[in-house]
Amino acid sequence: MSFPDRIERTVELAQPVEEVWAALTTAEGLGTWFGNTAEVDLRVGGEAKLAWESGDKATLTIERVEPPTVFAYTWPLYGVPDGDPRRTYVEFTLVPSGGGTTLTVIESGFAQASGDEHKAAFSGNTEGWKNELGELVAYLDGKL
């Protein structure tokens, strides 16, 4: 049986690439729209640490930094026990579009899981990206 391996979302943003890049790659940006606090060591091999008011935490390992067009990281597969080595790969691609930006987010690696683990990870992150990208738009529009 084959399981979906990737989630892909594209969002048209009114802001220029540089503003979107800052929202994705700075502690202020990530700590506002993606988490409640963030620390970012913006280099390949660096980490971004996110924390939420719920007590949840995530550590992202930065895999690609190509300012201001590509930012990528790996992070733990959602729903698996702490310490499980499986990770998904998340890549943001920013393309100028008029005065704004076309942002594409692809998260892949879900086929590492099967059954209930896959269902939890894939559905959780599908819904998660819908919510988080909505918060990114609100942040960029000055509403957060």
Side-chain angles (χ1 to χ4, degrees):
M1 177 184 254
S2 174
F3 295 95
D5 188 56
R6 65 190 257 155
I7 298 166
E8 183 171 345
R9 297 286 180 266
T10 300
V11 181
E12 296 296 331
L13 301 164
Q15 294 75 19
V17 166
E18 294 76 18
E19 282 185 48
V20 178
W21 177 260
L24 298 175
T25 62
T26 65
E28 178 187 341
L30 283 175
T32 303
W33 71 269
F34 198 36
N36 295 112
T37 63
E39 298 173 22
V40 179
D41 179 8
L42 187 61
R43 62 180 175 83
V44 173
E47 293 182 339
K49 296 181 181 204
L50 300 170
W52 288 264
E53 290 174 353
S54 65
D56 290 334
K57 294 180 180 186
T59 299
L60 321 176
T61 301
I62 298 170
E63 303 290 341
R64 281 181 77 184
V65 179
E66 297 174 19
T69 58
V70 181
F71 174 61
Y73 59 82
T74 56
W75 66 339
L77 188 64
Y78 176 77
V80 299
D82 286 345
D84 188 299
R86 292 175 290 176
R87 301 175 71 78
T88 57
Y89 177 80
V90 178
E91 186 170 278
F92 296 87
T93 303
L94 295 77
V95 176
S97 176
T101 303
T102 299
L103 173 67
T104 301
V105 182
I106 298 173
E107 183 173 12
S108 60
F110 293 98
Q112 301 171 75
S114 60
D116 289 342
E117 277 187 340
H118 181 274
K119 183 177 180 181
F122 192 79
S123 64
N125 286 29
T126 297
E127 187 63 25
W129 282 118
K130 177 182 169 189
N131 294 334
E132 296 300 343
L133 291 174
E135 290 187 18
L136 173 61
V137 170
Y139 170 73
L140 289 167
D141 287 345
K143 297 178 182 171
L144 279 185

